[in-house]
Amino acid sequence: NLSRTRKPKKPRVLMSPNDPRIKARKLEQTQAAELKQGKKQLTCPNEVEAKLIAQEPTHLFFKYNPSLGPPYRILIDTNFVNFSIQNKLDLFSSMMDCLLGKCIPYITDCVIGEL
C-alpha cells in the first residue's frame, strides 16, 4: 500500500526580517495608528483625507422642513401590524407615544386583504 505511506514534511522556512511583506505590514500599522491620532500625512496622491463633520442639532430639522409636523399621516403595512400584535402594542397609542403628536393612520385595501 503505497498510498498509506507518508511523505516526509518539508522544514518550515522562516521569513527574513528584510522581507518586503513584513515592511509593508509595519507601514500599514503605523499609518493606521497615525490616522487614529489625527496626525495622518497623505503618502499617495490618490489617497483621500478623512474629514470630521460636526453633527447638526436635531431641533433644526423642522426649521428646514416646515411641512413635517403634526398631524402625522402614517401609511401602515402588514409588517407594522404584525409587529404590534407580536409585541402586544396598541397601534394608535404607540404611534402617538413614538412621534409625540397626533397621528392619522392610513391602511390600504390590500393591507386589509392580507390580514
Side-chain angles (χ1 to χ4, degrees):
N1 287 330
L2 295 175
S3 62
R4 288 190 175 187
T5 59
R6 291 187 181 180
K7 296 179 183 178
K9 289 185 179 180
K10 293 181 181 178
R12 290 187 180 181
V13 179
L14 296 176
M15 293 174 67
S16 71
N18 298 330
D19 195 312
R21 293 174 287 182
I22 293 177
K23 288 183 180 180
R25 186 170 182 186
K26 284 184 182 178
L27 180 65
E28 289 174 2
Q29 288 174 349
T30 56
Q31 286 177 349
E34 289 175 356
L35 182 62
K36 285 182 182 177
Q37 294 175 357
K39 300 178 186 177
K40 178 72 176 150
Q41 297 289 331
L42 295 178
T43 56
C44 298
N46 60 356
E47 200 171 312
V48 179
E49 184 176 347
K51 295 181 182 179
L52 294 176
I53 300 172
Q55 185 176 1
E56 292 292 327
T58 56
H59 70 279
L60 294 177
F61 182 75
F62 293 112
K63 179 181 175 185
Y64 296 110
N65 288 317
S67 62
L68 296 176
Y72 299 107
R73 294 165 183 88
I74 302 169
L75 184 64
I76 296 177
D77 65 341
T78 54
N79 293 328
F80 189 78
V81 175
N82 290 333
F83 180 81
S84 64
I85 292 171
Q86 287 174 356
N87 293 310
K88 298 178 183 175
L89 298 172
D90 181 35
L91 197 66
F92 303 109
S93 64
S94 60
M95 279 192 296
M96 288 186 184
D97 292 342
C98 180
L99 295 174
L100 301 174
K102 184 180 178 186
C103 300
I104 302 171
Y106 287 99
I107 302 175
T108 59
D109 293 336
C110 61
V111 171
I112 293 174
E114 286 182 38
L115 295 174

XYZ file of all heavy atoms in Angstrom, residues 3 11-12 22-23 25 35 38-40 46-48 52-53 66 68 72 80 86 91 93 96-97 99 102 106 112 114:
245
model
N -0.177 4.148 -1.044
C -0.973 5.339 -0.776
C -0.999 5.692 0.709
O -1.259 6.825 1.072
C -2.394 5.136 -1.289
O -2.995 4.054 -0.592
N 10.870 21.167 5.889
C 11.091 22.059 7.029
C 10.502 23.443 6.742
O 10.492 23.899 5.609
C 12.610 22.104 7.166
C 13.133 21.714 5.841
C 12.120 20.795 5.238
N 9.995 24.079 7.783
C 9.403 25.402 7.628
C 10.507 26.414 7.388
O 11.563 26.371 8.018
C 8.620 25.803 8.864
C 7.374 25.011 9.030
C 6.558 25.551 10.151
N 5.339 24.772 10.308
C 4.415 25.021 11.193
N 4.576 26.024 12.021
N 3.339 24.282 11.266
N 6.871 42.000 5.287
C 6.900 42.443 6.688
C 6.954 43.958 6.741
O 6.266 44.604 7.536
C 8.101 41.812 7.426
C 7.902 40.305 7.557
C 8.276 42.445 8.801
C 9.047 39.579 8.194
N 7.749 44.577 5.870
C 7.868 46.027 5.854
C 6.535 46.676 5.473
O 6.133 47.683 6.046
C 8.963 46.454 4.878
C 10.355 46.135 5.375
C 11.394 46.638 4.409
C 12.791 46.308 4.904
N 13.820 46.796 3.976
N 3.536 45.487 5.954
C 2.591 45.340 7.053
C 2.884 46.338 8.167
O 1.983 46.938 8.739
C 2.638 43.917 7.581
C 1.580 43.644 8.619
C 1.489 42.195 8.929
N 0.424 41.975 9.900
C 0.175 40.837 10.462
N 0.888 39.781 10.146
N -0.794 40.700 11.328
N -3.469 57.667 11.773
C -4.817 58.098 11.426
C -5.680 58.199 12.672
O -6.474 59.127 12.824
C -5.444 57.132 10.422
C -6.836 57.469 9.922
C -6.800 58.803 9.170
C -7.362 56.394 9.028
N -4.775 61.335 14.498
C -5.062 62.566 13.790
C -3.841 63.198 13.163
O -3.868 64.351 12.760
N -2.737 62.488 13.079
C -1.502 63.013 12.517
C -1.260 62.510 11.104
O -0.151 62.560 10.611
C -0.302 62.589 13.369
C -0.344 63.049 14.790
C 0.862 62.526 15.519
C 0.812 62.836 16.985
N 1.956 62.249 17.695
N -2.282 62.058 10.456
C -2.127 61.377 9.171
C -1.610 62.330 8.111
O -2.172 63.386 7.873
C -3.463 60.766 8.749
C -3.452 60.084 7.423
C -2.703 58.805 7.484
C -2.826 58.110 6.133
N -1.733 57.326 5.797
N -3.352 59.443 -4.686
C -4.743 59.034 -4.862
C -5.446 58.761 -3.540
O -6.588 58.346 -3.518
C -4.831 57.798 -5.768
C -4.072 56.615 -5.192
O -3.416 56.739 -4.166
N -4.156 55.487 -5.854
N -4.786 58.996 -2.422
C -5.368 58.747 -1.107
C -6.238 59.934 -0.698
O -5.891 61.086 -0.927
C -4.231 58.548 -0.099
C -4.651 57.839 1.152
C -3.447 57.490 2.009
O -2.482 56.958 1.473
O -3.509 57.791 3.196
N -7.395 59.668 -0.113
C -8.339 60.705 0.269
C -8.241 60.929 1.769
O -8.206 59.992 2.554
C -9.781 60.293 -0.121
C -10.771 61.357 0.286
C -9.862 60.015 -1.608
N -13.745 65.252 9.463
C -14.698 65.173 10.560
C -15.700 66.304 10.394
O -15.335 67.474 10.270
C -13.984 65.292 11.901
C -13.049 64.147 12.252
C -12.331 64.431 13.557
C -13.816 62.853 12.351
N -16.979 65.965 10.372
C -18.038 66.949 10.191
C -18.836 67.013 11.482
O -19.266 65.989 12.010
C -18.947 66.565 9.004
C -18.124 66.500 7.729
C -20.092 67.544 8.873
C -18.887 65.953 6.545
N -40.464 72.664 7.096
C -41.653 73.109 7.832
C -42.894 72.288 7.509
O -43.861 72.327 8.251
C -41.834 74.562 7.367
C -41.165 74.620 6.035
C -40.031 73.631 6.108
N -43.104 69.134 7.649
C -43.173 67.965 8.531
C -43.624 68.418 9.914
O -42.949 69.187 10.583
C -41.807 67.289 8.633
C -41.269 66.689 7.346
C -39.876 66.152 7.581
C -42.166 65.599 6.847
N -49.417 63.796 11.955
C -48.634 62.924 11.091
C -49.561 61.941 10.383
O -50.407 61.325 11.006
C -47.593 62.149 11.908
C -46.606 63.051 12.595
C -46.666 63.246 13.965
C -45.618 63.703 11.877
C -45.767 64.067 14.600
C -44.708 64.529 12.508
C -44.786 64.718 13.865
O -43.893 65.528 14.493
N -45.951 46.236 9.951
C -46.178 47.093 11.113
C -47.274 46.526 12.003
O -47.149 46.491 13.232
C -46.532 48.498 10.628
C -46.575 49.533 11.705
C -45.412 50.077 12.210
C -47.793 49.951 12.212
C -45.461 51.034 13.202
C -47.848 50.912 13.206
C -46.676 51.452 13.699
N -47.378 41.065 17.716
C -46.404 40.202 18.381
C -45.918 40.804 19.694
O -45.701 40.105 20.673
C -45.199 39.953 17.474
C -45.481 39.016 16.330
C -44.301 38.911 15.383
O -43.309 39.596 15.541
N -44.437 38.043 14.381
N -51.839 49.913 18.512
C -51.346 50.532 17.292
C -51.367 52.059 17.382
O -50.359 52.716 17.111
C -52.180 50.040 16.111
C -51.616 50.224 14.728
C -50.380 49.389 14.556
C -52.649 49.834 13.701
N -51.987 54.246 20.096
C -51.316 54.900 21.220
C -49.798 54.785 21.125
O -49.080 55.717 21.495
C -51.802 54.317 22.540
O -51.447 52.948 22.632
N -48.556 57.460 18.713
C -48.559 58.783 19.331
C -47.442 58.934 20.345
O -46.838 59.996 20.461
C -49.911 59.051 19.990
C -51.016 59.294 19.019
S -52.505 59.756 19.883
C -53.645 59.871 18.535
N -47.138 57.850 21.081
C -46.027 57.882 22.034
C -44.693 58.031 21.320
O -43.794 58.711 21.804
C -46.017 56.614 22.887
C -47.193 56.542 23.828
O -47.825 57.594 24.071
O -47.489 55.431 24.311
N -44.107 59.377 18.157
C -43.935 60.631 17.412
C -44.282 61.877 18.223
O -44.062 62.996 17.766
C -44.798 60.589 16.144
C -44.375 59.527 15.136
C -45.377 59.463 13.997
C -43.000 59.809 14.603
N -50.216 64.086 17.180
C -51.389 63.402 16.661
C -51.013 62.621 15.408
O -50.275 63.103 14.564
C -52.479 64.414 16.332
C -53.757 63.765 15.871
C -54.822 64.777 15.562
C -56.056 64.041 15.047
N -57.085 64.963 14.599
N -53.153 55.464 7.916
C -53.785 55.122 6.634
C -53.514 53.646 6.376
O -52.365 53.221 6.326
C -53.199 55.960 5.498
C -53.640 57.404 5.533
C -52.829 58.384 6.066
C -54.881 57.770 5.016
C -53.228 59.703 6.088
C -55.284 59.093 5.036
C -54.462 60.055 5.575
O -54.865 61.359 5.600
N -55.527 45.350 4.258
C -56.670 44.717 4.925
C -56.918 43.343 4.318
O -57.246 42.380 5.023
C -57.909 45.619 4.807
C -57.702 46.893 5.621
C -59.166 44.887 5.279
C -58.791 47.918 5.460
N -54.623 41.363 3.093
C -53.583 40.448 3.559
C -53.829 39.988 4.982
O -53.445 38.882 5.369
C -52.210 41.126 3.480
C -51.674 41.245 2.074
C -50.297 41.872 2.056
O -49.497 41.586 2.961
O -50.017 42.649 1.139
